[in-house]
Amino acid sequence: VVLDLHLELPGRLTIYDTLGHSVRSLGTWSAGSARRLWDGCDQAGRDVASGVYLAVLKSSSARRVTRLALLR
């Protein structure tokens, strides 16, 4: 899954399942435009199941949530 991001402030991108469990942290980035790839794996490198996931981009003053559908 490719995520195109535009950050006005430095932020952190985390993938969550629909129960709110953190699946994978994709790290922190500086302000500006960026493209990040989520390979469909959890933090330990294991493939996660097909389903709906949430990409949550958090900065010090904002939070943006995007729904992702992962199909295997």
Side-chain angles (χ1 to χ4, degrees), residues 36-56:
R36 296 295 175 237
L37 174 70
W38 176 45
D39 58 6
C41 294
D42 66 10
Q43 201 65 34
R46 299 175 297 236
D47 287 342
V48 298
S50 293
V52 176
Y53 293 86
L54 304 172
V56 179

Side-chain angles (χ1 to χ4, degrees), residues 17-39:
D17 64 19
T18 55
L19 297 176
H21 300 121
S22 176
V23 173
R24 177 102 181 249
S25 172
L26 297 179
T28 57
W29 289 283
S30 305
S33 295
R35 176 173 276 194
R36 296 295 175 237
L37 174 70
W38 176 45
D39 58 6

